[in-house]
Amino acid sequence: MNEFDVWFSRVEIPNKKKLEILSYYTPDRVWQMDRAELNHKGLDDFTITRILDRKYRDNVEEYYTYLKNHRIHLMTLKDYFYPQKLMDIPDFPAYLYVKGNKKILEEDSVAIIGSRYCTSQGKGIAYNTAKQLGDKNINVVSGLANGIDTYAHTGSLSSSFGKTIAVLANGLANTDIYPQENLKLAKEIVRQGGALVSEHIVGTKAKREYFPARNRIISGLSNKILVVEAGEKSGTMITVRSGFRPRKRCVCSTTEE
């Protein structure tokens, strides 16, 4: 992590555009370009304006210091710990913010996902399956949402060896955590050797449109996907569709109407 990566991670342009730019230039080189040079490189006016916007360039040192002081790691594509299995998904994240144990992102993991409005049966399936996986030293990946996600994380934490990974649709500051009632759970995940993961900068609040993108990361970090109670058109099924690749196996246990 360096200050130029910190700056470029903050620039609000589509992830695909960042990947395109980073395939040709380093962030410090982009920082040095003026409007004429950026235009010559074929970038659109929207992207150029964002790259040159002072609000992303101001206070970079302070933001860098904040990340270090709060033990939030900004993971780049060149980072030794950047999970290579994420490269299998379309539009893999140019940057990942990680709080906790970044080493576990490449370990064997199973996603347990499902409805926020789950039944008692669904809660039991999520909790018990996560605990059993944890007892076999297999990490559980989920999204820290209410319902199935919460029971998957807590089941993993209650196991003998299991660690759990929460992929978030918001920043990693305590005030960003969504839902706030799971802040204590988020802290416990880190304390027990798991990780919080997000592609959003600190200070980002959860928005509805961020969740489908979050779900592709859950899929990418998981070797298998277990769905517990999910509607046919739910965000959970976005994760499942992202997971249909040769190395993945997706299992549905129960499905809501």
Side-chain angles (χ1 to χ4, degrees), residues 83 85 101-112 133-134 136-142 156 162-167 195 217-226 247-249:
K85 55 187 173 181
N101 182 6
K102 57 183 180 288
K103 297 179 182 179
I104 69 170
L105 300 185
E106 269 291 5
E107 294 178 1
D108 190 19
S109 299
V110 174
I112 299 180
L133 289 169
K136 296 180 182 296
N137 208 22
I138 297 173
N139 302 317
V140 169
V141 183
S142 201
S156 181
K163 300 178 180 67
T164 183
I165 300 166
V167 185
I217 299 175
I218 292 176
S219 168
L221 290 176
S222 307
N223 300 92
K224 297 179 176 65
I225 300 172
L226 171 66
R247 67 177 181 81
K248 282 285 198 305
R249 183 181 178 192

Side-chain angles (χ1 to χ4, degrees), residues 15 21 30 78 81 104 177 200 209 250 255:
N15 182 67
I21 294 170
V30 181
K78 295 181 179 180
F81 291 108
I104 69 170
I177 298 299
H200 298 286
E209 59 266 29
C250 303
T255 304

Side-chain angles (χ1 to χ4, degrees), residues 110-114 125 129 224-228 249-253:
V110 174
I112 299 180
I113 53 177
I125 291 172
T129 304
K224 297 179 176 65
I225 300 172
L226 171 66
V227 180
V228 182
R249 183 181 178 192
C250 303
V251 179
C252 294
S253 61

Side-chain angles (χ1 to χ4, degrees), residues 132-153:
Q132 291 168 17
L133 289 169
D135 287 338
K136 296 180 182 296
N137 208 22
I138 297 173
N139 302 317
V140 169
V141 183
S142 201
L144 201 72
N146 290 322
I148 295 301
D149 291 13
T150 295
Y151 284 88
H153 290 306

Side-chain angles (χ1 to χ4, degrees), residues 119-251:
T119 65
S120 296
Q121 180 187 20
K123 293 174 184 178
I125 291 172
Y127 182 93
N128 292 326
T129 304
K131 187 177 186 303
Q132 291 168 17
L133 289 169
D135 287 338
K136 296 180 182 296
N137 208 22
I138 297 173
N139 302 317
V140 169
V141 183
S142 201
L144 201 72
N146 290 322
I148 295 301
D149 291 13
T150 295
Y151 284 88
H153 290 306
T154 54
S156 181
L157 292 174
S158 70
S159 67
S160 302
F161 304 104
K163 300 178 180 67
T164 183
I165 300 166
V167 185
L168 310 181
N170 44 262
L172 297 186
N174 286 344
T175 53
D176 298 336
I177 298 299
Y178 176 85
Q180 268 291 293
E181 55 262 36
N182 275 352
L183 175 58
K184 183 178 179 180
L185 175 59
K187 291 180 177 180
E188 189 64 18
I189 288 171
V190 174
R191 192 188 72 80
Q192 289 197 204
L196 307 180
V197 178
S198 176
E199 62 182 330
H200 298 286
I201 66 171
V202 169
T204 302
K205 304 300 181 185
K207 293 183 180 179
R208 186 181 185 90
E209 59 266 29
Y210 293 162
F211 286 93
R214 182 277 305 267
N215 292 344
R216 86 192 193 285
I217 299 175
I218 292 176
S219 168
L221 290 176
S222 307
N223 300 92
K224 297 179 176 65
I225 300 172
L226 171 66
V227 180
V228 182
E229 297 185 344
E232 184 178 351
K233 296 182 179 180
S234 67
T236 297
M237 300 312 293
I238 294 174
T239 314
V240 173
R241 286 189 287 272
S242 298
F244 280 121
R245 299 189 298 283
R247 67 177 181 81
K248 282 285 198 305
R249 183 181 178 192
C250 303
V251 179

Side-chain angles (χ1 to χ4, degrees), residues 17-183:
K17 181 60 68 174
K18 285 185 180 178
L19 289 173
E20 178 186 337
I21 294 170
L22 291 172
S23 69
Y24 294 104
Y25 310 107
T26 58
D28 58 309
R29 178 71 184 92
V30 181
W31 173 284
Q32 296 168 355
M33 295 179 186
D34 59 17
R35 180 171 290 275
E37 188 172 6
L38 290 166
N39 186 64
H40 181 70
K41 302 299 183 184
L43 297 177
D44 58 89
D45 288 340
F46 173 83
T47 300
I48 293 172
T49 298
R50 290 295 175 93
I51 288 174
L52 297 176
D53 196 324
R54 293 302 314 177
K55 75 177 182 179
Y56 303 117
R57 294 176 179 244
D58 291 341
N59 304 317
V60 170
E61 289 186 10
E62 289 85 348
Y63 189 79
Y64 178 85
T65 300
Y66 177 94
L67 295 178
K68 291 188 68 174
N69 289 344
H70 289 80
R71 299 181 181 180
I72 298 173
H73 182 76
L74 177 60
M75 195 174 285
T76 72
L77 294 173
K78 295 181 179 180
D79 194 300
Y80 178 80
F81 291 108
Y82 188 96
Q84 293 302 299
K85 55 187 173 181
L86 265 187
M87 299 288 192
D88 288 346
I89 66 173
D91 194 24
F92 51 87
Y95 292 99
L96 276 180
Y97 287 92
V98 181
K99 189 169 187 177
N101 182 6
K102 57 183 180 288
K103 297 179 182 179
I104 69 170
L105 300 185
E106 269 291 5
E107 294 178 1
D108 190 19
S109 299
V110 174
I112 299 180
I113 53 177
S115 176
R116 289 173 172 82
Y117 309 104
C118 54
T119 65
S120 296
Q121 180 187 20
K123 293 174 184 178
I125 291 172
Y127 182 93
N128 292 326
T129 304
K131 187 177 186 303
Q132 291 168 17
L133 289 169
D135 287 338
K136 296 180 182 296
N137 208 22
I138 297 173
N139 302 317
V140 169
V141 183
S142 201
L144 201 72
N146 290 322
I148 295 301
D149 291 13
T150 295
Y151 284 88
H153 290 306
T154 54
S156 181
L157 292 174
S158 70
S159 67
S160 302
F161 304 104
K163 300 178 180 67
T164 183
I165 300 166
V167 185
L168 310 181
N170 44 262
L172 297 186
N174 286 344
T175 53
D176 298 336
I177 298 299
Y178 176 85
Q180 268 291 293
E181 55 262 36
N182 275 352
L183 175 58

